[in-house]
Amino acid sequence: MKRVVIIGMGFGGIRAARTLAQKGLDVVLVDRNNYHLFQPLLYQVATAGLEQESIAYPVRAMARGWTGTRFQLAEVTGVDFEARQVVTDNGTIPYDYLVIGAGSVTNYFGLKSVEQHAFDLKELVDAERLRNHILTAFERAVVEPDPAKRRALMTFVIVGGGPTGVEFAGALIELVRYVLTKDYPELSVQAARVVLVEAFDRLLAAMPAELQGYTLEKLRGMGVEVLLNARVVDAGPERVTLHDGAVIPAHTLFWSAGVKAAPLAATLGVEQNPGGRIAVEPDLTLPGHPDVYVVGDMAWLEQDGAPLPMVAPVAMQMGIHAGKSILAREQGAPAPPFRYHDKGSMATIGRSAAVASAFGMNLRGYAAWIAWLLLHLYYLIGFRNRIVVMLNWIWYYWFHERQVRLITERETPGNGCTR
């Protein structure tokens, strides 16, 4: 029986596993976490809207229904292509076919001070840590006698005007204005600042201009300070410095300005393209290694003159294609080249407000918001998770209340806003 090893249980790895399950192959799933994480909703955990368990699902719970599939909890440290083995901290795993989908990490573009002091959202622990930090900042502001320091504690700088930055900014300003203002009557919470910094002259660069304009207008109407054509170049525990020398006194810096391939890519001994991504053949195989597929954020594949974006829909389609290609090869059929079908993009801005561009249509406002809700519920794994998330959203819609306002770990000097 041929063995397929799949590294990474992100969007690409899970789709590849589903495609290959119960097809007469020995499928081994490998990840350092024992769950699949729905990363697009991490910001809602960080802003006290969802419990962290509601956006994650155990891999073993999925795999037990897939005949011939098993899971191994391990950290992959490299691949021996000659011996056809995956090297992990628990030993080696031989393979006949290999699917690499280890995802991406945050790209700070060499800004060491920013990397040290900024928060990001790639793991469940990141979201919980950021939620703790946000709520602790308000607790500290209650007892802070210095008005300037109190204002800095209630100032939140978000870098990156893509979907993550826009969605986090919208969720955070709503948390502050509708929820925390009731929790902290002794504070002038309306004076709290949410500052969104974008290096280009527009938000949501991949969307049509009319949706970009709507997003900018909506965020500013909600109270978010949007700074366009601005770059963060330095950061400290209590300040953020922009490219023009302006300093924003702020206790919290959130970075969503870019990603790069996971560190595993650098250990493979192959040429890396911008962002550490690995160039693949049209069928997603690694050049010179037709038994190895690279999918998702790690893969560099140009289509229509530009590299495919590092987004979940690309990873999902790549994972399915890799699985189908392996099945075709086992049947003696040629593997077709991969072609990404762009079904559109969307981003939520706040309660009853979102933007969506799909199938030649541009939606904004309530209709786009409903579409965003339904699509995210559809792609969540686990019936219970869908119900829990839906109930949380309904509760917030009707009562403007975030239920998960929990500080689960106290900050101490040294583990505050320093990563």
Side-chain angles (χ1 to χ4, degrees), residues 189-211:
V189 175
Q190 293 298 325
R193 301 174 65 195
V194 175
V195 184
L196 178 59
V197 181
E198 168 55 41
F200 295 104
D201 60 355
R202 60 196 183 278
L203 302 176
L204 302 176
M207 286 197 171
E210 64 178 278
L211 299 184

Side-chain angles (χ1 to χ4, degrees), residues 46-65:
T47 54
L50 295 175
E51 301 91 340
Q52 61 182 24
E53 294 83 2
S54 64
I55 64 168
Y57 197 81
V59 176
R60 289 188 180 275
M62 289 185 283
R64 67 189 179 196

Side-chain angles (χ1 to χ4, degrees), residues 92-241:
T92 59
I93 307 172
Y95 67 84
D96 295 292
Y97 295 102
L98 176 62
V99 179
I100 305 176
S104 60
V105 296
T106 301
N107 190 352
Y108 293 97
F109 303 101
L111 298 174
K112 296 299 183 182
S113 63
V114 171
E115 183 174 359
Q116 180 182 2
H117 295 288
F119 290 88
D120 65 351
L121 286 175
K122 298 298 289 184
E123 302 282 352
L124 270 180
V125 66
D126 298 331
E128 185 179 13
R129 185 182 297 121
L130 182 51
R131 184 191 68 210
N132 289 337
H133 179 79
I134 292 169
L135 297 176
T136 299
F138 280 88
E139 295 291 345
R140 289 179 57 186
V142 169
V143 297
E144 175 56 60
D146 186 331
K149 291 184 178 179
R150 186 164 59 246
R151 184 73 184 276
L153 284 165
M154 295 191 296
T155 298
F156 306 89
V157 177
I158 301 166
V159 183
T164 300
V166 166
E167 292 180 347
F168 184 70
L172 183 56
I173 196 68
E174 288 189 337
L175 172 67
V176 171
R177 296 294 169 87
Y178 296 118
V179 182
L180 299 186
T181 189
K182 294 179 289 187
D183 284 355
Y184 299 92
E186 58 268 72
L187 287 175
S188 178
V189 175
Q190 293 298 325
R193 301 174 65 195
V194 175
V195 184
L196 178 59
V197 181
E198 168 55 41
F200 295 104
D201 60 355
R202 60 196 183 278
L203 302 176
L204 302 176
M207 286 197 171
E210 64 178 278
L211 299 184
Q212 296 171 355
Y214 172 82
T215 302
L216 177 61
E217 180 181 352
K218 186 66 178 179
L219 282 175
R220 284 178 170 166
M222 294 166 64
V224 177
E225 301 175 37
V226 181
L227 305 181
L228 301 177
N229 296 307
R231 292 180 293 105
V232 170
V233 296
D234 193 16
E238 305 290 344
R239 59 165 179 80
V240 175
T241 305

Side-chain angles (χ1 to χ4, degrees), residues 348-369:
T348 182
I349 305 167
R351 183 175 180 267
S352 300
V355 289
S357 178
F359 305 109
M361 298 185 297
N362 296 331
L363 300 176
R364 62 185 186 181
Y366 186 78
W369 183 67

Side-chain angles (χ1 to χ4, degrees), residues 25-90:
L25 296 167
D26 176 22
V27 182
V28 181
L29 315 178
V30 186
D31 199 296
R32 63 181 179 183
N33 298 314
N34 73 333
Y35 54 82
H36 165 73
L37 176 63
F38 194 76
Q39 284 188 343
L41 292 181
L42 270 174
Y43 79 94
Q44 294 205 7
V45 176
T47 54
L50 295 175
E51 301 91 340
Q52 61 182 24
E53 294 83 2
S54 64
I55 64 168
Y57 197 81
V59 176
R60 289 188 180 275
M62 289 185 283
R64 67 189 179 196
W66 298 341
T67 304
T69 303
R70 53 199 171 92
F71 172 71
Q72 183 167 330
L73 183 67
E75 178 85 36
V76 175
T77 57
V79 177
D80 186 337
F81 295 117
E82 296 302 320
R84 301 177 81 177
Q85 291 182 337
V86 175
V87 182
T88 78
D89 56 357
N90 289 331

